[in-house]
C-alpha cells in the first residue's frame, strides 16, 4: 500500500537509528557458523567421507552416491542441531537473483508418523517445477523438465530455518539454464589453458585458480518514502523527479561520515555476512547521496559469485530491519551517479603465485607480460562480447546514457606497463632477449619496477583497468549476476591462451627456440591489440569518436549489443572452449531479449499510470487554482488598468501547465500505441529492438514534461516524494 508523501517524509525524518545486534564474540569466533565448511565437515562426517568430499572439491572430481548419502546425513545432522527444518536447492536462473524452493526435512515413516529425512539423492539432484523460469525455448512448458544438481565446490549454508544447497540448473537435454553452469565450465577451461602457458615459465604448478573480488555499490532509501513512490517499488528506479537543487556537487557525501542509521544497518549486514562466511572487508560512502559500497576479500571466482548473489538477498532482508530499502538498480536517480559492481579479476597458481604480479626475476617478468598481453588481446578481440555480457535495460542508464560513461570497452594499463609494452613492441629480438644457457632469459629493457600499485596512476574512467595485480572490470551493473561477465571474460582469455600456445608451437616447429617464439608472438599481439588500449578520459566525447575510428564496438542499443553473442567468432570461441553450445547461446539470447522487453514494458506501464493518475490530476487541480485566482482578480480589479499586469504571471503559468498536460497526455497515448505495435511482433529480437527504438524514448520525453511540472505546481499538492526528500538520510 502506498502512503502519502508528507506522511512518509515526516516518518522518515523522525526515524531513529535501529541498533545493530552485534554478537558478543569476536568475528573469528562466529565467522562461517552458518556454513557447512571444512570445520563442520570434519565434525559431522566420517574421516573417509571427509577425505572423499574434499578431494572432489579440490579436484573437481565426481562424488559417488554412497559418499553423497554420507554427506547428506552429516549435513542434515549439522543443520538440525541449528534448528533448521527445511532445505532447498539454491540456484541462479537467467533472471536477476536466485531461486529456491523449500521442502521440509520430513517424510512419512510408513507407520502414520513422520521422520526427518534427507538422503544423498535429495542432496545431489532435484526437479524444481521450473516451467516458469526463463529458458529461451530450451525446455517447453509441457515438459517443464529441468533439474538442479549439487555444486560441492560451494558450501551449503543456512538462512533462517533453511539449509541452502548451491546447485547448477540444467535442462533434461543437458543445456544450462543458469549462470553457474557455464561459469564453472569457463573456470575449468581457463585453469587448464593458463596452466599450459604457465608451464613455459615454471613447471611447478598443479592448478590455476581464477579469483574474483567484487565491489557492490547500492543506494539506501527510507522504507516509507520508497512505499510512497510506486515507480521505485515496481521498477527500482525513479521514472520521474526533478533533480534536487543540491545533489552531489560538493562531493560531501563521499567524504562525509556514514550516517548513524546507515552505520547500524551496515554493522548488522556485516554480522550476517560473517556468519555466512562472506569475507566482507570495506564499507564506505559513495559519490552520490545515499550511495554506499561494500567489498569483500577476493575469493575463488565461483564461490565469490555465490557470495555476491547471497549478499544481495541478505542486504534486502537486513535493510528492512532498519526501515530501509536497498536499491540495487544501476540508476535509481537521474542526475547523480549510478551504481556498478566492479569485478576485480585475477589468476593464481596453487602455490600462491599471482599471474598478474611482476616477479623478482626475468622469467617471472616475461610470464607476467605474457598473461597481461593475452588478456588485453582477448578483451580486444571480444570487446563487443564483453559489452554484451554486461548489457541490460537497467545498466544502459549507466553506460551510454548522456551523463554516464560511454558503452565502449577499452583497457587502461597505466604508464609503466604501457611503456614496457611499447618498448617490447619496438625492440628487436637481439636487443630484447639474450638467451644464455646459464643465465636463461634476459629482457633488454631491464626489470619491471616494483612500484606498480601506485594509486596515483589510476584511471577511474576506464571500464577495464589494470590495477597493480589484477584487472578491474568496472562495466558490470550493480544488480547483475557477475557470472555473466566472468564467464565471458574467462572463456575469451582461455581461448586466447590456447591460441597463444598454438602460435608459439607453430614458430617452434619452424625451429625457433621457445623464448624467441614467445617473444615474437607477444610482439605481434601487442601491435594487434593496440586499439583497445586507451589511457585518456573514457568519459569524453573525443573518445567516442576515437573509439569508432579504432574499430571498437560502439553500439548503444542493448538489443543489438546482444547480437555479439551470436557472431561467428563468439560461437566458435564458446563452442571450442566447451563453455556454451550454439543452442545454449541462441536460447540465452532469447531470454535476454525477453527480459529487456519486459523491463521496458513495466516501466512504460508504470509511467503511464503515474502520469494519468497522479500527475495530471494534480496539475489540473493547480491549474484550476490559478484560473480561480485570475477570475477573482478580474472580479476585483477588472476595470483597473493594472489588472493585465497582475494576472500576467498566473496566466503564463496556466498556459505552460496546459502545454505540459497536453504533451503528457498525448505522449502517453502514443507510448501505448507504440507498445501495442511492438507487442504484435513475434520475433523476440525484433520486438526488443522495437521496444528500444520506439517505446523507451517516450520514457524520457514524458519525464521531461513531468519534471518541469514539478517545478511549477504547488509543493503542497505534489503527490510523490521529491529527490531532495528521497536522497538525504540523516
Ligand atoms: P578500490 O575501490 O580502490 O578498487 P577496494 O578495496 O574497494 O578497492 O576493492 C578492491 C577489491 O579487489 C576487493 O574486493 C579486493 O579483495 C579485490 N582484490 C584485491 N586483489 C585482488 C586480486 N589479486 N584478485 C582479485 N581481486 C582482488
Ligand atoms: Mg575498485
Amino acid at each position: 500500500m502506498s502512503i502519502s508523501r508528507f506522511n512518509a517524509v515526516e516518518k522518515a525524518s523522525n526515524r531513529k537509528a535501529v541498533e545493530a545486534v552485534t554478537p558478543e564474540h569476536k568475528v573469528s569466533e562466529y565467522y562461517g557458523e552458518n556454513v557447512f565448511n571444512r570445520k563442520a565437515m570434519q565434525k559431522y562426517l566420517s574421516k573417509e567421507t571427509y577425505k572423499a568430499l574434499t578431494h572432489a572439491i579440490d579436484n573437481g572430481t565426481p562424488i559417488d552416491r554412497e559418499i553423497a548419502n554420507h554427506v547428506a546425513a552429516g549435513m542434515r545432522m549439522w543443520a538440525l542441531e541449528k534448528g533448521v527444518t527445511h532445505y532447498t536447492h539454491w540456484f541462479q536462473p537467467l533472471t536477476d537473483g536466485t531461486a529456491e524452493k523449500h521442502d521440509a526435512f520430513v517424510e512419512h515413516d510408513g507407520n502414520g508418523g513422520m521422520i526427518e529425512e534427507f538422503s544423498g539423492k535429495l542432496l545431489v539432484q532435484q526437479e524444481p517445477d521450473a516451467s516458469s523460469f526463463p529458458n529461451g525455448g530450451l525446455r517447453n512448458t509441457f515438459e517443464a523438465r529441468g533439474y538442479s544438481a549439487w555444486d560441492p565446490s560451494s558450501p551449503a549454508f543456512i538462512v533462517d530455518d533453511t539449509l541452502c544447497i548451491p546447485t547448477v540448473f540444467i535442462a533434461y537435454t543437458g543445456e544450462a539454464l543458469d549462470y553457474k553452469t557455464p561459469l564453472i565450465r569457463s573456470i575449468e577451461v581457463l585453469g587448464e589453458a593458463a596452466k599450459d602457458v604457465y608451464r613455459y615459465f615454471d613447471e611447478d604448478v598443479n592448478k590455476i585458480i581464477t579469483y574474483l573480488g567484487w565491489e557492490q555499490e547500492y543506494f539506501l532509501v527510507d522504507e516509507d518514502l520508497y512505499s510512497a513512490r510506486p515507480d521505485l517499488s515496481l521498477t527500482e528506479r525513479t521514472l520521474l523527479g526533478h533533480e534536487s537543487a543540491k545533489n552531489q556537487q560538493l562531493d560531501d557525501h563521499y567524504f562525509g561520515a556514514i550516517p548513524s542509521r546507515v552505520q547500524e544497518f551496515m554493522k548488522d549486514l556485516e554480522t550476517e555476512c560473517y556468519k555466512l562466511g562472506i569475507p566482507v572487508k570495506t564499507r564506505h560512502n559513495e559519490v552520490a547521496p545515499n550511495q554506499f559500497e561494500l567489498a569483500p576479500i577476493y575469493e575463488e571466482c565461483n564461490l565469490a559469485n555465490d557470495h555476491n548473489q547471497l549478499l544481495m538477498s541478505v542486504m534486502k532482508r537486513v535493510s528492512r530491519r532498519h526501515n530501509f530499502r536497498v536499491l540495487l538498480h544501476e540508476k535509481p536517480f537521474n542526475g547523480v551517479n549510478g551504481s556498478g559492481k566492479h569485478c576485480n579479476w585475477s589468476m593464481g597458481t596453487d602455490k600462491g603465485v599471482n599471474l598478474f604480479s611482476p616477479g623478482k626475476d626475468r622469467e617471472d617478468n616475461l610470464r607476467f607480460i605474457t598473461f597481461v598481453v593475452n588478456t588485453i588481446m582477448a578483451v580486444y578481440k571480444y570487446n563487443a562480447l564483453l559489452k554484451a555480457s554486461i548489457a541490460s535495460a537497467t545498466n544502459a542508464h549507466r553506460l551510454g546514457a548522456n551523463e554516464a560513461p560511454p558503452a565502449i570497452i577499452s583497457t587502461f594499463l597505466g604508464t609503466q606497463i604501457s611503456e614496457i609494452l611499447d618498448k617490447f613492441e619496438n625492440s628487436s629480438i637481439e636487443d630484447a632477449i639474450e638467451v644464455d644457457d646459464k643465465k636463461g632469459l634476459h629482457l633488454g629493457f631491464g626489470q619491471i619496477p616494483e612500484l606498480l600499485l601506485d594509486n596515483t596512476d589510476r584511471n577511474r574512467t576506464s571500464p577495464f583497468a589494470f590495477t597493480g595485480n589484477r584487472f578491474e572490470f568496472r562495466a558490470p551493473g550493480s544488480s547483475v549476476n557477475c557470472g555473466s561477465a566472468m564467464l565471458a571474460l574467462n572463456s575469451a582469455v582461455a581461448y586466447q591462451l590456447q591460441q597463444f600456445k598454438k602460435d608459439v608451437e607453430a614458430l617452434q616447429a619452424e625451429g625457433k627456440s621457445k623464448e624467441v617464439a614467445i617473444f615474437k608472438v607477444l610482439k605481434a599481439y601487442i601491435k594487434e591489440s593496440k586499439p583497445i588500449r586507451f589511457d585518456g578520459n573514457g568519459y569524453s566525447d573525443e573518445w567516442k569518436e576515437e573509439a569508432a575510428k579504432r574499430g571498437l564496438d560502439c553500439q548503444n542499443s542493448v538489443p543489438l549489443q546482444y547480437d555479439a553473442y551470436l557472431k561467428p567468432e563468439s560461437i566458435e570461441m564458446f563452442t571450442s572452449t566447451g563453455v556454451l553450445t550454439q543452442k545454449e547461446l541462441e536460447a540465452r539470447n532469447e531470454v535476454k531479449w525477453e527480459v529487456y522487453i519486459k523491463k521496458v514494458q513495466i516501466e512504460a506501464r508504470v509511467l503511464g499510470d503515474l502520469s494519468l493518475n497522479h500527475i495530471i490530476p494534480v496539475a489540473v487541480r493547480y491549474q484550476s487554482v490559478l484560473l480561480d485566482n485570475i477570475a477573482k482578480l478580474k472580479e476585483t480589479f477588472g476595470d483597473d488598468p493594472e489588472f493585465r499586469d497582475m494576472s500576467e504571471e498566473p496566466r503564463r503559468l496556466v498556459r505552460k501547465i496546459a502545454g505540459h498536460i497536453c504533451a503528457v497526455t498525448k505522449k502517453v497515448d502514443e507510448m501505448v500505441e507504440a507498445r501495442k505495435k511492438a507487442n504484435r511482433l513475434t520475433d523476440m529480437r525484433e520486438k526488443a529492438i522495437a521496444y528500444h527504438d520506439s517505446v523507451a524514448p517516450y520514457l524520457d520525453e514524458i519525464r521531461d514534461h513531468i519534471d518541469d511540472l514539478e517545478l511549477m505546481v504547488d509543493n503542497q499538492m505534489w503527490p510523490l516524494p521529491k529527490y531532495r526528500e528521497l536522497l538525504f538520510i540523516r
Side-chain angles (χ1 to χ4, degrees):
M1 192 200 57
S2 67
I3 66 168
S4 81
R5 172 176 157 219
F6 288 105
N7 223 330
V9 170
E10 195 188 327
K11 273 176 111 174
S13 49
N14 288 330
R15 212 76 83 193
K16 299 267 174 302
V18 176
E19 222 175 292
V21 191
T22 19
E24 290 158 21
H25 308 286
K26 283 190 291 197
V27 173
S28 55
E29 285 171 45
Y30 66 89
Y31 184 80
E33 72 176 23
N34 290 340
V35 182
F36 195 62
N37 52 21
R38 291 192 186 214
K39 201 167 129 201
M41 286 176 197
Q42 247 166 353
K43 188 164 166 207
Y44 290 89
L45 303 179
S46 71
K47 252 203 187 96
E48 297 73 56
T49 309
Y50 176 81
K51 236 175 98 187
L53 178 59
T54 49
H55 182 268
I57 293 170
D58 294 337
N59 302 291
T61 47
I63 289 169
D64 69 35
R65 187 47 62 89
E66 200 186 326
I67 296 291
N69 275 329
H70 292 309
V71 174
M75 236 185 231
R76 192 192 58 150
M77 205 196 300
W78 170 73
L80 288 177
E81 279 179 21
K82 289 184 167 289
V84 166
T85 51
H86 288 65
Y87 66 92
T88 181
H89 275 197
W90 181 82
F91 57 98
Q92 302 167 21
L94 296 170
T95 46
D96 296 335
T98 51
E100 35 199 86
K101 174 186 158 234
H102 297 196
D103 284 304
F105 270 138
V106 290
E107 289 293 334
H108 288 294
D109 65 359
N111 298 314
M114 289 287 209
I115 52 162
E116 268 83 23
E117 179 62 51
F118 182 57
S119 64
K121 193 165 140 253
L122 296 174
L123 166 69
V124 170
Q125 188 168 321
Q126 274 199 3
E127 248 181 84
D129 175 20
S131 49
S132 50
F133 291 110
N135 56 66
L138 275 179
R139 189 169 34 73
N140 75 44
T141 25
F142 295 105
E143 286 182 283
R145 285 169 63 88
Y147 66 92
S148 53
W150 179 34
D151 166 21
S153 68
S154 183
F157 54 89
I158 293 170
V159 174
D160 287 334
D161 59 359
T162 304
L163 171 68
C164 304
I165 298 148
T167 55
V168 294
F169 182 41
I170 304 174
Y172 255 87
T173 38
E175 286 89 6
L177 297 171
D178 66 348
Y179 285 110
K180 194 188 246 290
T181 311
L183 178 64
I184 292 175
R185 292 177 190 154
S186 77
I187 290 168
E188 280 169 7
V189 68
L190 177 60
E192 286 306 310
K195 189 166 71 181
D196 284 347
V197 170
Y198 188 87
R199 287 199 167 140
Y200 281 139
F201 310 100
D202 182 1
E203 281 291 329
D204 188 21
V205 59
N206 298 313
K207 193 179 171 184
I208 301 275
I209 303 144
T210 307
Y211 293 106
L212 164 64
W214 40 264
E215 299 163 55
Q216 177 73 53
E217 293 180 331
Y218 61 96
F219 279 86
L220 286 176
V221 60
D222 185 86
E223 166 158 80
D224 281 308
L225 294 169
Y226 173 95
S227 308
R229 292 280 311 217
D231 49 353
L232 270 186
S233 320
L234 298 173
T235 72
E236 276 226 347
R237 82 171 171 117
T238 52
L239 298 172
L240 45 91
H242 197 280
E243 264 184 50
S244 164
K246 173 181 187 290
N247 50 40
Q248 66 185 42
Q249 304 95 322
L250 299 173
D251 273 341
D252 47 353
H253 182 67
Y254 192 63
F255 295 112
I258 298 175
S260 56
R261 268 186 79 190
V262 177
Q263 185 109 23
E264 295 301 310
F265 156 73
M266 285 176 168
K267 277 194 226 160
D268 259 350
L269 176 61
E270 283 159 3
T271 304
E272 291 299 321
C273 285
Y274 290 143
K275 287 184 190 166
L276 287 164
I278 307 174
V280 289
K281 191 163 164 76
T282 39
R283 54 156 114 126
H284 59 81
N285 289 350
E286 265 302 326
V287 177
N290 279 14
Q291 194 188 24
F292 307 93
E293 184 189 290
L294 181 75
I297 299 169
Y298 66 93
E299 299 175 285
E300 185 280 317
C301 187
N302 175 35
L303 180 63
N305 190 40
D306 279 2
H307 279 165
N308 181 251
Q309 289 293 304
L310 184 53
L311 171 92
M312 292 194 285
S313 62
V314 174
M315 275 177 126
K316 287 185 183 158
R317 210 157 31 87
V318 175
S319 66
R320 304 292 294 272
R321 266 209 313 262
H322 294 265
N323 306 109
F324 283 130
R325 290 298 188 126
V326 54
L327 304 177
L328 295 171
H329 192 290
E330 284 75 5
K331 195 83 180 176
F333 304 101
N334 274 15
V336 297
N337 276 18
S339 301
K341 177 146 47 198
H342 297 176
C343 290
N344 293 269
W345 173 89
S346 69
M347 290 182 275
T349 69
D350 53 339
K351 306 281 185 322
V353 179
N354 179 341
L355 304 197
F356 295 122
S357 283
K360 297 272 174 288
D361 60 36
R362 300 163 187 148
E363 291 244 329
D364 283 353
N365 286 337
L366 190 62
R367 183 257 300 149
F368 165 74
I369 292 173
T370 299
F371 283 101
V372 168
V373 169
N374 274 290
T375 302
I376 300 168
M377 191 68 175
V379 176
Y380 172 56
K381 285 189 185 157
Y382 297 98
N383 71 87
L385 177 73
L386 287 172
K387 191 166 85 186
S389 79
I390 55 97
S392 70
T394 53
N395 205 17
H397 295 290
R398 189 177 148 254
L399 301 178
N402 14 359
E403 43 183 314
I408 300 167
I409 301 293
S410 63
T411 63
F412 166 83
L413 297 175
T415 34
Q416 288 170 319
I417 309 276
S418 285
E419 274 170 19
I420 289 164
L421 296 195
D422 291 344
K423 265 190 184 163
F424 201 115
E425 186 194 343
N426 296 317
S427 53
S428 66
I429 296 177
E430 292 73 37
D431 61 39
I433 293 180
E434 296 157 19
V435 186
D436 180 320
D437 278 347
K438 281 186 215 91
K439 283 203 224 123
L441 195 65
H442 172 63
L443 292 180
F445 43 82
Q447 285 290 345
I448 297 175
E450 287 281 312
L451 213 83
L452 292 170
L453 278 163
D454 184 2
N455 269 316
T456 56
D457 193 23
R458 276 196 171 198
N459 184 335
R460 294 265 163 204
T461 67
S462 176
F464 198 92
F466 183 72
T467 48
N469 58 0
R470 62 191 187 268
F471 282 92
E472 184 169 340
F473 193 13
R474 301 200 182 110
S478 46
S479 70
V480 295
N481 186 311
C482 315
S484 176
M486 290 296 102
L487 77 90
L489 178 63
N490 291 342
S491 318
V493 175
Y495 187 68
Q496 175 55 44
L497 288 168
Q498 289 169 350
Q499 188 58 48
F500 174 76
K501 189 156 177 275
K502 280 186 206 151
D503 290 343
V504 169
E505 280 167 1
L507 288 179
Q508 283 178 294
E510 287 172 18
K512 301 268 185 306
S513 73
K514 182 181 83 181
E515 287 75 14
V516 169
I518 291 174
F519 175 83
K520 284 198 148 199
V521 174
L522 286 179
K523 200 170 146 162
Y525 284 2
I526 293 171
K527 232 188 204 88
E528 192 185 341
S529 63
K530 248 188 174 161
I532 199 75
R533 281 163 56 193
F534 178 65
D535 288 2
N537 179 4
Y539 293 3
S540 66
D541 286 334
E542 297 81 70
W543 170 231
K544 283 189 212 166
E545 274 172 40
E546 169 69 18
K549 271 192 224 143
R550 293 187 186 188
L552 299 180
D553 185 277
C554 296
Q555 180 55 260
N556 251 327
S557 156
V558 171
L560 293 177
Q561 287 169 356
Y562 292 148
D563 285 347
Y565 276 104
L566 299 177
K567 280 197 215 150
E569 59 270 30
S570 303
I571 294 175
E572 154 63 20
M573 184 276 281
F574 277 124
T575 50
S576 90
T577 50
V579 172
L580 287 164
T581 64
Q582 182 163 350
K583 198 170 162 200
E584 284 171 321
L585 285 165
E586 283 165 0
R588 294 167 89 89
N589 259 28
E590 291 289 300
V591 174
K592 284 175 191 290
W593 283 314
E594 194 182 339
V595 170
Y596 180 87
I597 294 164
K598 287 192 175 147
K599 293 251 162 149
V600 179
Q601 190 175 52
I602 293 170
E603 289 191 351
R605 284 181 181 161
V606 173
L607 187 60
D609 284 357
L610 284 176
S611 302
L612 302 182
N613 302 327
H614 287 65
I615 306 302
I616 289 183
V618 167
V620 168
R621 214 176 335 136
Y622 185 56
Q623 197 183 37
S624 304
V625 171
L626 292 169
L627 286 169
D628 198 39
N629 175 248
I630 296 167
K632 283 186 176 142
L633 284 172
K634 191 166 172 83
E635 228 173 76
T636 317
F637 301 102
D639 295 331
D640 195 318
E642 279 179 37
F643 167 68
R644 278 210 73 75
D645 284 352
M646 274 187 234
S647 62
E648 194 181 316
E649 184 53 24
R651 276 186 290 126
R652 199 179 61 85
L653 254 180
V654 166
R655 238 180 249 123
K656 271 187 162 179
I657 291 174
H660 287 305
I661 292 175
C662 280
V664 171
T665 320
K666 185 166 151 274
K667 285 186 187 296
V668 170
D669 277 350
E670 287 171 8
M671 181 168 69
V672 172
E673 279 314 307
R675 245 164 56 210
K676 280 188 189 155
K677 208 166 144 205
N679 288 344
R680 284 196 286 272
L681 297 167
T682 46
D683 180 84
M684 276 305 168
R685 179 174 176 275
E686 295 299 317
K687 195 164 162 179
I689 293 170
Y691 264 88
H692 175 273
D693 294 352
S694 61
V695 179
Y698 282 110
L699 294 168
D700 292 333
E701 290 174 24
I702 294 168
R703 175 187 190 139
D704 281 347
H705 288 287
I706 296 179
D707 290 356
D708 281 350
L709 278 172
E710 187 186 315
L711 293 184
M712 292 173 203
V713 170
D714 180 1
N715 182 51
Q716 288 298 315
M717 288 184 178
W718 196 255
L720 304 172
K722 296 186 174 183
Y723 269 29
R724 63 164 188 265
E725 291 151 352
L726 289 165
L727 273 173
F728 299 94
I729 293 167
R730 270 158 284 264

